Amino acid sequence: MKTQNPRLKIRKFVLNAPNSVFLPSEDGYFRLNHNETTGLISQKLARKIISGNLNALSEYPSYRELHEAIARYAAVSVHMIHTTNGSDDAIPKIIRMLFDGKRKVLLTVPTFPTYERALKIEGIPFRGIAYTPGVRAFEFPMKQVLTELKSPRVQGLIICNPSNPLGTGIDKYAVKKLADACKKKSIPLIIDEAYLEFHKVSAVSLLKTHPNVIILRTFSKTFGLAGLRLGYVIAVPSVIASLKKLSLPWEVNHAAMRAGLVVLKHKKHFLTELKRTIKRREAMSVLFQHHGIRTMNSKANFIVCKTPRMLSLVHTLKKHKIVVKSMSPASVHLPFLADCFRISVPGPDIEKAAFRHITSALREYTKLHEN
């Protein structure tokens, strides 16, 4: 007698959800398509991270010390901090906590794809307002955003400052203008500050007068801990208390917690490396420009490059072991990006080799299209 395998009933909203994107590891390649900053953790720092109480491997973590360290770094009360398993982990929780399917959420696009994904999963309508491209920079669509915020159909605004994936930053006056407009409507303004240290513009000071502001940050960029998945949310205590109710116990593991403590204790080292990363970013921009490739100004650890023969250059770079991110999928929001790709700044561990391979690729590309 044959045994029938019962088929699990999957809820419809899951079946209709967008697929997760799991990018393959390009072994033997310089992977400059993920906005990672490698080589920031020295052997000395790594030993500090893995040393300590071995019972930590068997005990559930306590976050008090880490929260206090983050609060000191961000210059806020410890009651305004909540750590997460990467800032990505906070995004769906915040969206689930604040929004419903009755009104729309505004996004400036293109944006970090996790926002659109989380909104789609929750069945929350959203409207993307596109950046305006310029010769060397993208312009934040302030006028359009402020106009849209007047609509009673809007329930919130999400922005990245600086923008991911464009690298564009807005100043503190623009941030306050957005916060004021959202406060007037009693709706949340969510600001992703993943690249804060590159831009040095934060909305933290607004929390004293704007309880509608929620800030997301990560240890992945400036501190080079992308693989340990450590992020945090800064908001008024009442918002943090509600967010904790949506979080499972011990979502951040001991290794990530310990790493967060160590890197904050040695923040001077990372801020020094940040200056060097910015210098490498500018040198890489000049290198591409020298070969006739337009580059856009950036306030992050990557640059956006534009050329009519984008695919040819992307393939040539990969031939020379350099993997970059084609931005053509984003052209649905901004057709200007159809000829663009994004490339991360090589870390100090691969700087010389990566620049050598990029230079070889650019020479071949130039020779290929010189006629």
Side-chain angles (χ1 to χ4, degrees):
M1 181 177 179
K2 292 184 177 180
T3 302
Q4 291 185 341
N5 293 322
R7 188 169 183 175
L8 293 177
K9 293 183 178 179
I10 308 297
R11 292 180 64 186
K12 186 176 180 180
F13 87 92
V14 177
L15 295 173
N16 293 334
N19 291 323
S20 295
V21 178
F22 296 98
L23 299 173
S25 60
E26 301 281 354
D27 294 334
Y29 288 75
F30 296 95
R31 195 170 63 177
L32 303 182
N33 57 333
H34 289 175
N35 295 354
E36 298 160 328
T37 306
T38 60
L40 299 183
I41 307 296
S42 66
Q43 289 291 333
K44 182 178 179 180
L45 288 179
R47 284 193 293 270
K48 289 179 180 291
I49 291 172
I50 63 176
S51 66
N53 181 11
L54 292 180
N55 287 335
L57 298 176
S58 306
E59 297 173 347
Y60 296 116
S62 171
Y63 302 123
R64 180 176 178 177
E65 187 179 1
L66 176 59
H67 285 190
E68 289 174 347
I70 293 173
R72 287 193 297 271
Y73 179 70
V76 296
S77 162
V78 70
H79 303 294
M80 300 171 71
I81 298 294
H82 178 63
T83 45
T84 57
N85 187 18
S87 58
D88 305 55
D89 177 52
I91 292 170
K93 292 185 174 104
I94 290 173
I95 285 173
R96 190 175 303 125
M97 178 176 73
L98 295 175
F99 304 132
D100 56 40
K102 298 177 181 178
R103 295 181 297 160
K104 64 186 176 182
V105 173
L106 298 183
L107 303 170
T108 47
V109 294
T111 190
F112 187 47
T114 301
Y115 290 106
E116 293 187 8
R117 174 176 167 75
L119 289 166
K120 288 177 180 177
I121 289 174
E122 294 296 328
I124 298 169
F126 60 90
R127 167 167 163 67
I129 304 175
Y131 281 76
T132 303
V135 176
R136 286 295 312 280
F138 298 96
E139 182 180 345
F140 184 87
M142 179 63 77
K143 184 177 179 179
Q144 297 93 316
V145 170
L146 292 176
T147 298
E148 285 287 338
L149 282 173
K150 295 176 182 178
S151 169
R153 296 291 299 163
V154 171
Q155 61 176 325
L157 170 64
I158 302 173
I159 66 170
C160 296
N161 188 33
S163 163
N164 180 2
L166 301 180
T168 302
I170 58 175
D171 61 32
K172 62 181 181 180
Y173 304 105
V175 174
K176 187 177 185 302
K177 186 178 291 187
L178 294 171
D180 287 343
C182 290
K183 181 182 178 181
K184 186 176 181 181
K185 287 177 60 70
S186 297
I187 60 174
L189 168 61
I190 300 168
I191 306 177
D192 190 330
E193 293 185 349
Y195 299 92
L196 162 74
E197 290 83 1
F198 287 86
H199 186 36
K200 298 180 182 179
V201 173
S202 177
V204 162
S205 62
L206 292 175
L207 291 171
K208 296 177 181 178
T209 54
H210 294 73
N212 60 313
V213 171
I214 299 173
I215 299 167
L216 279 69
R217 291 187 185 172
T218 180
F219 281 81
S220 296
K221 309 305 177 183
T222 300
F223 296 104
L225 294 178
L228 286 180
R229 314 308 305 126
L230 180 60
Y232 59 100
V233 179
I234 309 174
V236 296
S238 59
V239 171
I240 294 297
S242 296
L243 182 59
K244 287 181 177 179
K245 293 180 180 180
L246 289 176
S247 303
L248 297 174
W250 309 300
E251 287 184 327
V252 176
N253 64 58
H254 260 297
M257 182 187 70
R258 175 71 180 169
L261 285 168
V262 168
V263 300
L264 286 176
K265 187 176 180 179
H266 295 83
K267 64 181 181 181
K268 288 184 179 179
H269 160 73
F270 291 94
L271 295 179
T272 298
E273 287 294 338
L274 172 69
K275 294 177 182 178
R276 293 170 179 164
T277 300
I278 292 172
K279 287 183 179 179
R280 289 196 298 276
R281 183 189 69 200
E282 299 312 306
M284 188 167 67
S285 180
V286 170
L287 178 60
F288 277 100
Q289 292 173 31
H290 179 72
H291 289 270
I293 311 301
R294 191 195 308 185
T295 62
M296 309 301 285
N297 295 333
S298 173
K299 295 288 187 178
N301 68 341
F302 60 83
I303 57 174
V304 173
C305 302
K306 181 176 176 63
T307 171
R309 301 183 180 92
M310 182 268 291
L311 288 179
S312 173
L313 180 50
V314 168
H315 292 151
T316 305
L317 284 164
K318 190 166 185 180
K319 179 181 174 182
H320 287 259
K321 304 298 182 180
I322 300 292
V323 182
V324 299
K325 174 68 174 176
S326 168
M327 298 185 71
S328 56
S331 62
V332 64
H333 297 304
L334 200 57
F336 177 85
L337 294 177
D339 292 336
C340 295
F341 66 89
R342 188 190 68 207
I343 180 169
S344 309
V345 179
D349 56 329
I350 61 171
E351 173 187 1
K352 292 182 180 179
F355 268 82
R356 190 164 58 247
H357 283 252
I358 292 170
T359 301
S360 296
L362 287 171
R363 286 172 178 167
E364 180 176 330
Y365 169 81
T366 302
K367 186 175 181 180
L368 184 64
H369 298 290
E370 62 186 357
N371 294 325

